[in-house]
Amino acid sequence: MVSLYAPPTIQKDVATEPMPSHPPEASNRNFLFSLATSLLFLTISAAVLIAGFITWHHPNVLDKQPPSPITIAGKDLRIDIGKGKYQGDSLVLTALEDTHSVLSAPRITFEASNYPIIKYEIEGRHPGIKVAFYWRTTIHNQKTQFAELHWNGDIPTAYRLEAKDSWSDTVTEFGISITGDIRNQPITIKYIALSPPSVGNLLLTVWSEWNAFSSWSHSSINAVRGSVKNPIISSVVAGAIWAGLAVLLYILWIVFRTLQIRIQRKQRIPIKNKFALVIASIFLISWLALDMKWQVHLWRQLEETIRLFSGKSLMQKHLAADDRVLFKFATQVKKKLPDTPQRIIIVSSLNRYFRLRLLYHLLPHNVYAFPLAPTELLAKLKTNDYVLILGTYKQINFDNNQGHLQYNSSNSIPATLIFEALPGSVYKIGTSK
Amino acid sequence: MDYMGFIIAIFLPWVLGVACLKAIWTNKQEYSLAMFIGYGYLFGIIATILFIWLWDAAGFKQHFWLQSTLLITATAFLYWLHRKNTWQTTTQRWRNQEVWEKFLWLLFFVLVAIRLSAIFQEILLRPLYPWDAWWHYAPPARIWSYWQELTPIIHPDNWLSSGDPKIYTLDAWSKPLGIPLINYWTISGIGHWDDILMNLPWFLCVLALGFGMYGQLRLVHIAPLHSIIAVYLLLSMPLLDTHVELAGYADIWLATCYGFAAMSLMLWLKNRNPAQLIVFIILSAAAPIFKIPGIYWSLTLLPVLILSLMSNRHRLYAIIICIAILLAFFLIGGINLNLPYIGAHSLTYHDVWASVAKNLLVFDNWHLYWYLLPVAMFFGFKKEFRDVLDMAGFVLIFINLFFLYMVFFWTEKYIWALDSTTINRATLHLMPIFVFTTIVLLRKNNRLHGSTANNFVPTGTNTTPT
């Protein structure tokens, strides 16, 4: 029978067995030896993997003489849209025009396939702006192609253009496009370099893909990729292979040493003492390496968050957030409404995110934000309800002369315009003016 | 802002929860302060949620200061009632470790502290951000804090004909009340709407998770170093960190509640401490108040309980029967189920292996954990389940993986595996107990783990444990 309760007993393995002396595997000396062993095998594993990776990815990288990179210094870029100045070899962009800037490179034509990678060094970037490399080719002459460049901090970074299907044929025109909010912080473009495949470029590309930073998005809560979409190799897989190979090499070394000792008939070295420590150290060091990358990501994210929100009141923080337009609109609407909660129905053809987010900011007003057919809406509205038309909503319009919200000539309801501003308008249902 | 109210709203549940645990914990049983701290917070939150709900059900208007006074009185009474309880600390002393173990313990502790510090700052700066948080869980809190009562939130179809300004409609009409009530309680203490400070309980939840798991591992006699490593492994997982930084979702709460329930079950199977059984029952029953899937997760603990108590022969028969049923599914090619409350589900196979592998092994949701798990299960298997903890742990992992497999491979929820959404959030619910079990499976059986022996210290008072 199962006993739900057992009287407290001293566990035998705790109190009646003699206190063991320190087991040899746990001494300080053995720990240091195990740590050194694990670092050694991790280093060997890394060397083997990097060599193998380079050989596999670019088997001919050491064979033929690659073309020289096409390097465009910042001072050679022309500011087509935006404001800036030249400082030494760099271009310093100081302002965008209507959230946009275009910097074009001198006209050079080349075969895209010879330059699968673009390297660049851009300082002063932050997640508020997007930097893209654009180009045109002889085939896509009418349509400009774009590749959003990773942000990896103010250090040289690489991007794999060859991953883009449209990076092919003869390139006739290229440059840099910058969009977003510069936040009064100048951006310095030191250079862009279209680069041929090489060992250094490949490794820099892998490093850039692993450390590319993007700020929180609404999908962040669902998954953490750990690198860009479709990287050359995932950092997690690389970490697992690195640790796994190190463990395998260590085991092979142990087997080899054991056989050697047995053959030589020497006294057996107890290998179990350090085995678990070494394996655990290899695993933990690999985990720590991955975790350091994640910690750096969190620190960068925190920098961005501090930049956006630090030192501000709650209202100011909402006005700095990415839904500030909706928040500001909701605040204005609430000033026009009575203090007590009112029934409000939001109608919109926009993505439901906008309706729902506006509902959140209108609380504690009593808001309905579900999809509703126009006829049902007009039929269910009650006097003193409010209708908020967000964005454009062609099915219902307001007849200012009649003072009616109407779907068609036979479906209308008296209403008064209460408030109108981007991005919507608010009507009170009831007696028309 | 009402600072006193805010402090009470944040810390009163914690103090209350520890008092509840002290009341449950049988005299002279083993205990761990870390475990009390961790479990105490969750207990306190659950008790506070239930108290607010019962208060409303009794027809009273919500009143933060009156409710706080009653809770403080109850807390003081519980402490006084059990003031003479004494427990035993049987765990290895931190100070008896080797130098390198102490060094590493401090290293991992600092790493956890650095991580939590970044998370804490992010929470205190960013307004409520993730979708479900501002769509499902925050709006009821805002509504209730305005009306000072738990006004009904109804189906959208009924709202249009209602006309009552106190009756609202949100998607949350079908969601459990747990998270909105946590939000509501915090806002009540603050005194006005603040969707930044409202998120502080999420940070405390992950803090409690770390403490609770550390404490339970110590009660299994896992060495301090290995216990802090387990806490680090768990709290360093990127998706778990994300769920705390982008506070507002229910998943971290469900993960903590289910994880704690499962840990208590395993500890009871090992030690037969009746307090652990009571904790297991309470937390299993409480899991659904955070999220509906809590029902299913709690139900997975029943086969763990039953199988762990079976003899080896009966356990083998049970496993064979399960495998036979699974094979039957394959052969039949699927089956349609229509169950009460769960609804209609067509059990048809969907090949989503590539997507599942991508989410577990390629994305950085869990670092290298899913590469470690097979190793741990191999070690557990190799130990031949001589210890009931190994058996329970192995069964628990197997059953939960089987459950996930059925959901994502055999139901229409396979879509969530393909778009990398719910598959990771469902896996998050399992992470605390999985990490706990991994360390348990990797430990050496029937001997003390660590550099020095346990110092068994039967105490006459509540001494400070390791």
Side-chain angles (χ1 to χ4, degrees), chain A residues 246-275:
Chain A
V247 168
L248 183 63
L249 291 172
Y250 177 63
I251 291 172
L252 288 174
W253 182 79
I254 290 287
V255 168
F256 169 73
R257 282 287 292 162
T258 306
L259 289 173
Q260 191 182 41
I261 289 164
R262 280 185 184 171
I263 288 168
Q264 293 174 356
R265 296 190 185 204
K266 288 184 184 172
Q267 188 176 1
R268 230 179 188 180
I269 296 173
I271 59 157
K272 281 189 189 175
N273 295 345
K274 305 181 198 69
F275 184 79

Side-chain angles (χ1 to χ4, degrees), chain B residues 45-332:
Chain B
I45 283 290
I46 292 169
T48 306
I49 288 170
L50 285 174
F51 179 72
I52 296 171
W53 180 75
L54 286 170
W55 183 280
D56 183 76
F60 301 126
K61 210 77 164 154
Q62 297 291 324
H63 192 292
F64 175 77
W65 288 107
L66 183 54
Q67 290 165 322
S68 299
T69 304
L70 289 172
L71 288 174
I72 290 170
T73 308
T75 304
F77 178 70
L78 282 171
Y79 274 114
W80 177 82
L81 201 63
H82 299 278
R83 65 193 180 285
K84 289 185 181 163
N85 278 9
T86 59
W87 303 292
Q88 299 163 348
T89 55
T90 62
T91 51
Q92 176 188 355
R93 298 281 182 195
W94 187 89
R95 60 176 173 265
N96 290 344
Q97 298 178 102
E98 289 282 348
V99 169
W100 68 270
E101 288 176 313
K102 288 179 189 170
F103 173 77
L104 284 185
W105 193 99
L106 285 169
L107 172 68
F108 283 106
F109 179 81
V110 166
L111 288 174
V112 169
I114 289 172
R115 180 61 46 84
L116 291 178
S117 129
I119 290 173
F120 182 68
Q121 292 176 77
E122 180 82 27
I123 285 180
L124 285 188
L125 285 170
R126 180 178 288 274
L128 194 64
Y129 182 78
W131 187 298
D132 280 6
W134 54 257
W135 174 223
H136 292 314
Y137 301 121
R142 187 153 195 192
I143 293 163
W144 297 335
S145 65
Y146 177 84
W147 292 104
Q148 289 300 298
E149 58 182 275
L150 306 189
T151 56
I153 295 171
I154 61 176
H155 192 282
D157 290 347
N158 301 328
W159 183 90
L160 286 165
S161 50
S162 159
D164 186 343
K166 274 176 83 169
I167 296 178
Y168 288 69
T169 183
L170 300 162
D171 240 3
W173 72 273
S174 60
K175 303 288 182 194
L177 294 183
I179 303 300
L181 283 174
I182 293 174
N183 288 333
Y184 165 73
W185 174 253
T186 313
I187 291 296
S188 297
I190 294 170
H192 60 83
W193 180 253
D194 188 323
D195 64 355
I196 294 177
L197 291 179
M198 184 180 74
N199 300 321
L200 200 53
W202 269 254
F203 177 77
L204 299 180
C205 178
V206 80
L207 207 58
L209 177 60
F211 273 110
M213 190 165 90
Y214 183 85
Q216 291 283 48
L217 284 170
R218 299 295 288 115
L219 287 175
V220 178
H221 302 160
I222 302 287
L225 174 60
H226 305 134
S227 302
I228 194 73
I229 288 175
V231 171
Y232 167 73
L233 292 183
L234 178 64
L235 298 193
S236 65
M237 289 182 178
L239 194 69
L240 186 144
D241 293 340
T242 304
H243 270 255
V244 187
E245 286 218 16
L246 300 180
Y249 269 47
D251 299 283
I252 191 69
W253 291 95
L254 180 53
T256 304
C257 190
Y258 175 71
F260 280 1
M263 288 177 210
S264 284
L265 171 62
M266 289 175 70
L267 267 289
W268 175 75
L269 287 168
K270 172 76 174 171
N271 298 331
R272 293 289 193 264
N273 180 351
Q276 296 276 15
L277 180 65
I278 295 169
V279 169
F280 154 64
I281 292 170
I282 291 173
L283 293 182
S284 304
I289 67 170
F290 296 112
K291 222 176 166 183
I292 298 286
I295 298 172
Y296 311 126
W297 291 131
S298 294
L299 287 174
T300 63
L301 294 177
L302 281 180
V304 175
L305 176 64
I306 295 166
L307 284 171
S308 301
L309 294 172
M310 280 180 175
S311 67
N312 283 343
R313 183 190 295 183
H314 291 140
R315 192 178 302 123
L316 185 61
Y317 292 158
I319 291 170
I320 289 172
I321 291 169
C322 287
I323 293 174
I325 293 172
L326 186 59
L327 282 172
F329 276 135
F330 273 110
L331 292 171
I332 293 170

Side-chain angles (χ1 to χ4, degrees), chain A residues 183-300:
Chain A
R183 298 179 192 167
N184 298 323
Q185 184 176 322
I187 300 165
T188 304
I189 296 104
K190 288 193 157 178
Y191 68 86
I192 59 173
L194 292 156
S195 305
S198 70
V199 172
N201 289 341
L202 178 64
L203 294 176
L204 179 62
T205 305
V206 170
W207 181 257
S208 299
E209 289 182 343
W210 286 357
N211 291 285
F213 174 81
S214 57
S215 192
W216 294 130
S217 70
H218 289 290
S219 63
S220 299
I221 203 82
N222 294 320
V224 177
R225 287 179 181 272
S227 56
V228 302
K229 212 172 177 180
N230 301 321
I232 296 175
I233 182 168
S234 147
S235 55
V236 175
V237 171
I241 296 173
W242 179 41
L245 182 61
V247 168
L248 183 63
L249 291 172
Y250 177 63
I251 291 172
L252 288 174
W253 182 79
I254 290 287
V255 168
F256 169 73
R257 282 287 292 162
T258 306
L259 289 173
Q260 191 182 41
I261 289 164
R262 280 185 184 171
I263 288 168
Q264 293 174 356
R265 296 190 185 204
K266 288 184 184 172
Q267 188 176 1
R268 230 179 188 180
I269 296 173
I271 59 157
K272 281 189 189 175
N273 295 345
K274 305 181 198 69
F275 184 79
L277 263 179
V278 173
I279 302 294
S281 299
I282 287 174
F283 174 77
L284 282 172
I285 291 170
S286 309
W287 184 293
L288 281 165
L290 268 177
D291 199 45
M292 287 305 107
K293 184 172 84 68
W294 172 241
Q295 182 63 58
V296 168
H297 175 96
L298 290 179
W299 279 329
R300 280 188 182 153

